[in-house]
Amino acid sequence: MAEKIITTEYSEEMQRSYMNYSMSVITARAIPDARDGLKPVQRRVLYDMSELKLGHDKPHRKSARIVGDTMGKYHPHGDSSIYDTLVVMSQNFKKGMALIDGHGNFGSIEGDGAAAMRYTEARLEKFAEEVYLKDLDKTVDFVPNYDETEKEPEVLPVRVPNLLINGAEGIAVGMSTSIPPHNLGEVVDAVKAYIQNPDITTEELMRYMPGPDFPTGGIIANKKDLPAIYETGAGKIKLRGRIEVELGKRRSDKDKLVITEIPYTMIGAGINKFLMDVADLVESKKLTDVTDISNQSNKEGIRIVLELKKDADVEKIKNILYKKTKLEDTYGVNMLAIADGRPETLNLRGILKNYLDFQYKNNTRKYQVLLEKELEKKEIKEGLIKACDVIDLIIAILRGSKNLKDAKACLMEGDISRINFRVPGFEEDAKQLRFTEKQATAILEMRLYKLIGLEILALEKEYRETLRKIKEYQHILKNRDTMNQVIMEDLDAIKEEFAMIRMTDI
């Protein structure tokens, strides 16, 4: 076969190759999807844990087992990125709602790393199991994995706006995303308000969802900038830690400043950096009223204590701490996500619109599947009710048939001439046969004692329930207002079970 040499400009080939590479990183690695709010590695870890049956009520499984299974089947990009993802999804100080229940050392808010994957265990949180993975078989599309030996979901059927609730962090090629976490209950209220009034303004939505809710608590100091951030999808949030004053109970006791909440940006090495900065301020005589610094934080929460001299100026010390240390910091917001296959900076209304379009699609597919199942049940129930009237004939057909094929043909066609009956006289009853293929199959699959014991009243009750469900599902599929009501009721149920109080003051 003759070689074919293609001549091209080096600069054009480099540009084309780099663009392909960058788009691959953007869409398949670093930036979350606007529909389920997940990056591919997060989605694959959760799906693999679902396939391994690691529900919230099942025993924990070794993290190494989960990582290996995910890497072998769905995400061939190295075990460290998969394990890091699993760890972060289990850390309730980083996520608005933790998705994985970790057992063992999964790191700390002070920057301690998680133990190696061979030492830790994990399973799904109930929130992830119920809200992120339910109805997988009825809703989303499945696509081939990297080597086309397995199938994986294109997105997960997440029933809440995960992009807002858990936020997102990611650095791609030439762009990055940084979305703060929000309070589940407030997000649900905002979604319901948007459903009821699609023309609602950003400021009106903020009556329900006033701003981010960081799991580390703290205070948002620039409330006036939030409307512009949610309108444009970008901006800066000024975060402050929470400082409380503890007065000495006795004359000999010193007054203390106690930091009980830190800015979200201080997670990790930020706490040690803060302690070092305060020590430097004391040594440089800029904080002359501080006599001692101690970090008394534990599993119960943050507690950084500054002991003060007698009659110290508390407000002055607070101002110095906010100005000279990371106790006041900025969180850069850039709400970038993959929408319709391309990266796009979304404002609050854009995020809610993408989420709701996804919910309409998922619910339509779900109720179409449920409707088809009920229509099949209806057909079978009609056949069994009909069978009750000619039960003796059906039993005679089963006894007189050479094989199931002849019996099925007799039930469907009503031709009993070739069947060897021990008791004649069923010619009139044979006119009532003519079952459909599904009905005949259902009859033949029943054991004889169940067939004889069929109760017409029970069948008719089940049949009426099936008709009710058919009517309900058809109404949901044909009526957008009814579909909206179903989505809002589902959100209310999620809010009632999983919502928590707001941590961050605005």
Side-chain angles (χ1 to χ4, degrees):
M1 185 176 178
E3 291 185 0
K4 184 178 180 181
I5 300 174
I6 300 174
T7 304
T8 183
E9 283 288 335
Y10 180 75
S11 59
E12 291 179 3
E13 180 59 33
M14 285 296 294
Q15 183 178 9
R16 182 165 53 250
S17 298
Y18 189 74
M19 283 297 294
N20 290 339
Y21 159 73
S22 62
M23 285 305 295
S24 174
V25 172
I26 290 166
T27 59
R29 299 285 290 275
I31 307 299
D33 195 294
R35 294 170 291 179
D36 62 2
L38 296 169
K39 300 177 189 178
V41 63
Q42 295 172 324
R43 187 179 304 121
R44 287 163 177 165
V45 169
L46 292 174
Y47 176 64
D48 186 74
M49 292 180 73
S50 173
E51 288 294 285
L52 291 173
K53 311 297 183 189
L54 299 182
H56 72 282
D57 54 350
K58 299 293 191 299
H60 293 81
R61 186 77 66 87
K62 280 285 186 185
S63 299
R65 170 72 169 87
I66 299 167
V67 170
D69 204 60
T70 303
M71 183 168 61
K73 290 181 179 178
Y74 310 115
H75 196 76
H77 297 296
D79 58 347
S80 60
S81 64
I82 298 172
Y83 185 52
D84 289 346
T85 297
L86 187 151
V87 168
V88 170
M89 287 196 292
S90 73
Q91 294 175 328
N92 56 13
F93 52 85
K94 284 189 179 179
K95 291 294 181 182
M97 297 292 294
L99 303 178
I100 291 174
D101 175 19
H103 183 63
N105 176 14
F106 273 81
S108 74
I109 194 171
E110 298 184 57
D112 301 316
M117 68 180 81
R118 62 184 178 274
Y119 298 122
T120 62
E121 299 176 337
R123 64 183 178 188
L124 291 168
E125 287 278 7
K126 185 178 181 182
F127 180 70
E129 195 176 359
E130 293 291 325
V131 180
Y132 286 58
L133 294 157
K134 194 174 181 181
D135 295 326
L136 260 172
D137 57 330
K138 301 183 186 74
T139 49
V140 296
D141 291 324
F142 278 70
V143 295
N145 69 337
Y146 65 93
D147 61 359
E148 299 188 356
T149 58
E150 301 277 347
K151 291 283 188 179
E152 62 177 311
E154 185 181 26
V155 289
L156 294 186
V158 181
R159 291 151 55 201
V160 293
N162 182 56
L163 206 58
L164 290 173
I165 290 166
N166 272 329
E169 300 279 346
I171 300 174
V173 180
M175 59 183 65
S176 64
T177 185
S178 180
I179 304 173
H182 294 77
N183 183 272
L184 172 62
E186 293 174 357
V187 171
V188 165
D189 292 340
V191 172
K192 289 169 62 181
Y194 184 83
I195 290 173
Q196 292 164 347
N197 177 19
D199 297 322
I200 192 171
T201 65
T202 299
E203 290 194 1
E204 289 171 335
L205 281 170
M206 291 182 67
R207 295 175 188 171
Y208 304 93
M209 194 193 77
D213 184 22
F214 296 97
T216 53
I219 302 164
I220 294 175
N222 60 333
K223 181 179 179 180
K224 60 182 176 56
D225 296 332
L226 294 180
I229 291 173
Y230 285 119
E231 185 62 39
T232 62
K236 291 183 178 180
I237 296 172
K238 187 184 292 185
L239 292 173
R240 285 181 175 176
R242 189 180 301 280
I243 304 176
E244 297 177 356
V245 180
E246 287 187 3
L247 300 176
K249 296 180 180 179
R250 295 172 295 184
R251 285 188 178 182
S252 59
D253 291 341
K254 294 181 178 180
D255 294 341
K256 299 174 183 176
L257 284 184
V258 181
I259 297 159
T260 57
E261 296 175 5
I262 60 173
Y264 188 66
T265 51
M266 273 179 61
I267 291 175
I271 293 178
N272 289 330
K273 177 69 166 59
F274 170 75
L275 294 172
M276 292 172 62
D277 289 343
V278 174
D280 289 342
L281 290 171
V282 172
E283 289 181 9
S284 62
K285 307 299 183 182
K286 292 179 181 178
L287 271 179
T288 56
D289 290 337
V290 176
T291 61
D292 188 49
I293 314 162
S294 62
N295 183 6
Q296 301 174 12
S297 304
N298 54 34
K299 291 181 179 180
E300 302 300 319
I302 296 295
R303 182 177 169 84
I304 301 171
V305 180
L306 307 182
E307 287 191 4
L308 307 178
K309 289 181 180 178
K310 189 176 181 181
D311 300 324
D313 188 340
V314 173
E315 290 304 316
K316 180 181 177 182
I317 296 171
K318 284 184 179 180
N319 289 334
I320 292 173
L321 291 174
Y322 285 138
K323 187 176 181 180
K324 298 292 185 179
T325 72
K326 289 293 184 179
L327 197 59
E328 178 176 292
D329 204 0
T330 56
Y331 180 94
V333 177
N334 183 30
M335 299 199 289
L336 182 79
I338 304 299
D340 297 323
R342 60 187 180 86
E344 183 179 344
T345 299
L346 301 168
N347 60 15
L348 177 57
R349 295 182 76 256
I351 290 175
L352 296 182
K353 182 181 183 303
N354 275 279
Y355 158 76
L356 277 175
D357 288 345
F358 183 51
Q359 294 307 303
Y360 291 139
K361 181 179 178 181
N362 281 352
N363 277 278
T364 298
R365 292 179 65 164
K366 172 184 173 180
Y367 284 103
Q368 281 176 341
V369 170
L370 292 175
L371 177 61
E372 288 170 5
K373 287 183 177 179
E374 292 303 321
L375 288 171
E376 185 175 334
K377 282 184 185 178
K378 173 178 175 287
E379 182 180 339
I380 291 171
K381 289 288 187 295
E382 287 173 344
L384 294 177
I385 290 171
K386 182 177 172 183
C388 288
D389 294 333
V390 288
I391 191 68
D392 293 335
L393 172 58
I394 292 173
I395 293 170
I397 290 172
L398 294 176
R399 287 174 174 170
S401 300
K402 295 179 182 178
N403 50 51
L404 286 177
K405 184 179 178 182
D406 285 350
K408 187 173 183 179
C410 186
L411 290 173
M412 292 175 63
E413 298 166 10
D415 181 10
I416 62 173
S417 59
R418 52 186 176 171
I419 302 299
N420 180 27
F421 287 113
R422 295 179 183 177
V423 182
F426 287 115
E427 288 76 10
E428 283 298 317
D429 290 341
K431 297 175 182 177
Q432 298 182 49
L433 295 177
R434 303 283 181 181
F435 291 98
T436 66
E437 184 175 359
K438 287 180 181 178
Q439 291 171 343
T441 301
I443 291 170
L444 292 173
E445 287 177 350
M446 293 184 75
R447 293 183 180 274
L448 189 60
Y449 71 89
K450 285 188 177 181
L451 191 62
I452 295 171
L454 283 177
E455 295 183 10
I456 187 67
L457 292 178
L459 283 172
E460 287 177 344
K461 183 180 179 181
E462 293 172 4
Y463 181 65
R464 288 193 297 271
E465 177 63 16
T466 299
L467 292 178
R468 185 195 66 77
K469 288 183 179 179
I470 289 171
K471 185 177 179 180
E472 177 188 344
Y473 298 156
Q474 287 175 334
H475 189 59
I476 292 170
L477 289 167
K478 291 177 182 178
N479 191 305
R480 177 54 66 91
D481 289 338
T482 308
M483 179 78 78
N484 285 336
Q485 191 63 36
V486 167
I487 293 172
M488 288 193 290
E489 288 175 359
D490 188 43
L491 288 170
D492 282 335
I494 293 170
K495 176 183 174 180
E496 183 177 354
E497 183 170 2
F498 298 107
M500 297 184 290
I501 62 170
R502 167 172 274 276
M503 300 288 291
T504 307
D505 287 343
I506 299 177

